[in-house]
Amino acid sequence: MSLAETLCRDQAHSVLGQFMVGAPNEIDLDTIAWHIGRLRVEIGQLDTAEGRLIAGDDGGFIRVREGVRPVGRQRFVVAHELGHFCLHKAASALDTFAQLTDWRVGSRE
């Protein structure tokens, strides 16, 4: 495992620990998004991406493209954008379908 992958895993475990998550079904992405960056999660129009993060000093939002199915994939997109926020303090991130194709089996991205 690369240093970047180790950093990502450590950051994810840290966030889950802060919210006392013991199992995947206990992960409340809306609550985590709000507490770590005052980010709102919404479903809406996106023409060229599966998910989008827009964040500033006063909060922001994570948008998931309307029509993304199943719910597990929607949750993956939200968690992925939260990862950008936690790891890079990204103000904006745009992820295309091609970047998020391996959501079931995991990928570097």
Side-chain angles (χ1 to χ4, degrees):
M1 186 179 315
S2 73
L3 181 59
E5 290 170 319
T6 300
L7 175 63
C8 290
R9 288 179 190 275
D10 289 348
Q11 183 68 35
H13 286 289
S14 174
V15 169
L16 294 176
Q18 289 173 25
F19 290 91
M20 297 182 285
V21 171
N25 66 342
E26 297 174 354
I27 300 171
D28 182 341
L29 292 171
D30 291 327
T31 298
I32 292 172
W34 182 255
H35 282 284
I36 66 170
R38 290 180 302 207
L39 303 170
R40 294 178 320 277
V41 177
E42 59 184 42
I43 306 291
Q45 179 67 28
L46 283 174
D47 292 330
T48 60
E50 295 283 289
R52 177 85 193 235
L53 165 68
I54 301 291
D57 292 338
D58 295 328
F61 66 90
I62 294 170
R63 177 172 281 184
V64 178
R65 183 180 55 78
E66 191 172 61
V68 170
R69 299 285 184 272
V71 171
R73 183 171 178 83
Q74 291 173 359
R75 289 176 52 78
F76 175 83
V77 171
V78 172
H80 182 88
E81 298 307 325
L82 283 171
H84 282 301
F85 184 82
C86 289
L87 290 171
H88 317 300
K89 297 300 179 211
S92 179
L94 185 67
D95 292 306
T96 65
F97 178 78
Q99 291 169 309
L100 299 175
T101 346
D102 295 332
W103 71 274
R104 287 188 188 149
V105 295
S107 69
R108 274 185 82 192
E109 180 64 15

